[in-house]
Amino acid sequence: MSESESQNLSVKLFAKHRHAKETSTLFGAIQQIDQASYSAFDGDSERSWYRMRRRGQWTWQGVDPVEMEAIFARIAHSDNSRSVDSLLDTVEGYRSGNWNYEWTAVGMQHQKRAQALADKGEHQAASQQWLQACTYFGIAAYPHLKGDTLALQSETLAYKAFEHAMDKLPFTVKTVETTLDGKSLKGYLYLPRTDATLPVVILSGSLDSLQTDLWRVFVDYFAPADIAVLTLDMPSVGHSSHWHLNEDTSRLHRAMLDKLAEVPWVDHHRVGTMGIRFGANPAVRLAFLEPHRVKASAALGGIVHSLLTNAQMMKKMPPMYLDTLGSRLGRHIPIDTLRTRLQAWSLKNQGLLTGRRTDVPILALSLKDDPVCPESDNKLIATYSRGGKAVILPNTPLHDGYHRALCETVSWFANIL
């Protein structure tokens, strides 16, 4: 795709959406909750924002902190109308100050640089700019709610940018597809090399992220350990948008586990599962349901029990998080009903973290004072895994916490796989 074609695609995608429905109004948690009754996961300073601004995570993904703060400033200082006056990132329509508009605009700048570098034959530098563009487009679509037309357009741009990067990267990325319920399920297989069959880890992130957000986990951590990674979107997100989330959180992962037996570059007898936040739920679940096919598992800040069953923790959920959960179920649900439904997703309530131990060793890891994954959940996972291990790492500085967590996790897989 040439630069002019890329620009034409963006114009075509967004031209009809100047008056698109604003994200915070789609599922309505902000109208159902008393703003004073919750404390956002990232602190009181976030009360004036609908979205949780994940500075540490996005900086780690490669977002320029200066560029990020400039985007936040443009959103905060916009004079355009908002759907909720007290929330800065609720500017209506695709125009200046709108969350999607501002992040997409910077993504376009990286896309333009990528094309210019590619035209000069500087393909590796171009791939990095394409990955940057993909990251910004992904954040533009965050938190990826159903019915968010602007988010859907940004996701399209993110996947296009990622596909451009795939052709120019110094390692191999393959698309792996299978079918489930008659629909296509797609993941990306990252390979450090293709001259041998390698152990592979099936990796998923949180409910409000795309699998393309996870490329750095492979590049910086798994590739040096000579371990392949297969990323997979959670149900109702990205390439997995055909399926709603239910208590069988691992059914997409199980379908991909079946498919791995046909993939020539990986050893399907040496498969691990790994999940971040809600992605840890299916990763741990498979360790119990498929103990003969999963050899090791890891949960990073996993949502497996407490947040899904503890009324006090639920009350602290920000509206954005409640909307995301409702979106994954595929319908508008009153908050009280949603909180009741969440209990079915607890792996303890499902009888997995309460009965017979799995033979699969599971690493349960989180940062100190994690508001989503308490230490008790880590201990619960480790208790019901033979060879299981619970680890709490310091949470400051945050960037170092992410790094140490991933180093520990890759070492875990390298030793077992």
Side-chain angles (χ1 to χ4, degrees), residues 45 58 144 167 182 242 250 275 282 314 323 333 356:
S45 62
W58 294 336
H144 308 280
D167 297 333
H242 298 302
S250 57
M314 287 183 187
D323 281 343
I333 296 177
R356 180 180 297 178

Side-chain angles (χ1 to χ4, degrees), residues 291-309:
H292 301 297
R293 294 201 290 168
V294 173
K295 299 304 177 188
S297 184
L300 275 67
I303 299 175
V304 297
H305 176 61
S306 295
L307 186 69
L308 305 171
T309 59

Side-chain angles (χ1 to χ4, degrees), residues 192 197-201 225-229 265-267 270-272 413 417:
T197 54
L198 301 174
V200 60
V201 172
D226 212 27
I227 298 174
V229 169
W265 305 283
V266 299
D267 183 351
R270 292 189 291 162
V271 179
F413 283 119
L417 297 181

